[in-house]
Amino acid sequence: MMTCFVCLQEVNVEFEAYSISHNDYDGIKKLLQQLFLKAPVNTAELTDLLIQQNHIGSVIKQTEVSEDSDDDDEDEIFGFISLLNLTERKGTQCAEQIKELILSFCEKNCEQRVVEQLDRLLRDTSRPVGFLLSERFINVPAQIALPLHQQLQKELAEAHKTNKPCGKFYFYLLISKTFVEAGKNNSKRKWSNQKKDELMFANAEEEFFYEKAILKFNYSVQEDSDTCLGGRWSFDDVPMKPLRTVMLVPCDKMNEIMDKLKEYLSV
């Protein structure tokens, strides 16, 4: 078990991180559904794979649950972090669906050279791609991301040292939940050119990954969002349009990203 505590002063809640277990299936799958919404990705299989490789990743749970709460609350998941090596998992339905999903949106939103670059990188088995997943509910503060990422880096280094799954890859692939002010840049062909200062990241720390990405583009999920999964987003009463931002980040940039996380997220 790895512990990290973040206190929400308004409601006085502390969170703790644990290794992923079979009891976390429903919570992880629910968070994956919030990411993919109605996209054709087998989130059940993806959840199973993340649980099977439990030497990688952590789940966030409430530190103390009141005695009068339901027993199920003890296993309620508020977030998780993990990584799926898409190259190692080639041939599994969810890995192929994830690659098909981002390639299809890349074709719709990017120039042909970008599509070809992404396709080439995803097919290159000599340089594996790791799909980094860091999902949490909106009420969990960004500060918890620092110890989670630090622990994940330790686990990945140990996996590489012991030749376990996920131990070797050259790129991080991320699909981030982002938002842009509604009415701005509504042309579908322009989503890939969205300026960073116009994007708002649901997970604030993922902006640092965005800065180091060698390939990045956005696509709208407004038609897939609803009040159950996506919510109706607004900031300061300004309506926001939900997007997904795809990023491919070289692994050798991770030290710089971690330095940024320490600078901005240390409590």
Side-chain angles (χ1 to χ4, degrees), residues 73-249:
D73 290 345
E74 294 181 6
D75 288 324
E76 184 176 3
I77 302 302
F78 288 84
F80 79 93
I81 189 170
S82 191
L83 183 140
L84 186 77
N85 191 314
L86 294 178
T87 307
E88 289 179 350
R89 298 296 185 174
K90 180 181 179 181
T92 61
Q93 185 181 50
C94 62
E96 297 304 316
Q97 288 173 328
I98 290 166
K99 290 185 285 187
E100 291 172 6
L101 177 72
I102 62 172
L103 277 170
S104 67
F105 279 112
C106 188
E107 290 174 353
K108 295 174 183 176
N109 294 280
C110 301
E111 297 177 358
Q112 185 60 29
R113 62 175 180 81
V114 179
V115 178
E116 293 173 355
Q117 179 188 15
L118 178 59
D119 183 57
R120 185 170 61 252
L121 290 171
L122 290 175
R123 290 177 181 273
D124 187 356
T125 56
S126 67
R127 296 194 294 175
V129 175
F131 182 35
L132 179 59
L133 287 155
S134 180
E135 297 300 318
R136 60 180 182 266
F137 290 121
I138 194 69
N139 61 320
V140 180
Q143 283 77 9
I144 204 168
L146 176 58
L148 290 177
H149 276 286
Q150 289 173 327
Q151 178 67 16
L152 182 66
Q153 289 303 305
K154 292 178 183 178
E155 293 167 346
L156 292 172
E158 181 63 21
H160 179 70
K161 183 179 178 181
T162 56
N163 200 30
K164 289 182 179 179
C166 287
K168 183 180 179 182
F169 54 95
Y170 285 76
F171 297 99
Y172 290 101
L173 173 69
L174 292 86
I175 303 177
S176 295
K177 297 191 294 290
T178 53
F179 306 89
V180 66
E181 185 177 333
K184 280 192 175 182
N185 204 356
N186 280 328
S187 170
K188 287 186 178 180
R189 295 297 297 178
K190 293 181 179 179
W191 286 122
S192 60
N193 299 320
Q194 203 75 44
K195 295 180 181 178
K196 188 193 75 174
D197 57 3
E198 293 178 348
L199 285 173
M200 295 188 69
F201 288 78
N203 291 351
E205 73 278 2
E206 291 174 359
E207 182 176 331
F208 302 126
F209 288 86
Y210 186 91
E211 293 172 353
K212 300 299 181 182
I214 61 168
L215 186 154
K216 49 198 171 188
F217 65 91
N218 310 295
Y219 61 90
S220 174
V221 291
Q222 188 168 34
E223 293 181 0
D224 290 347
S225 299
D226 56 37
T227 53
C228 294
L229 291 177
R232 300 197 181 279
W233 287 87
S234 65
F235 293 89
D236 297 327
D237 295 325
V238 177
M240 306 297 290
K241 190 165 191 171
L243 308 176
R244 293 295 180 267
T245 298
V246 177
M247 299 173 273
L248 198 67
V249 182

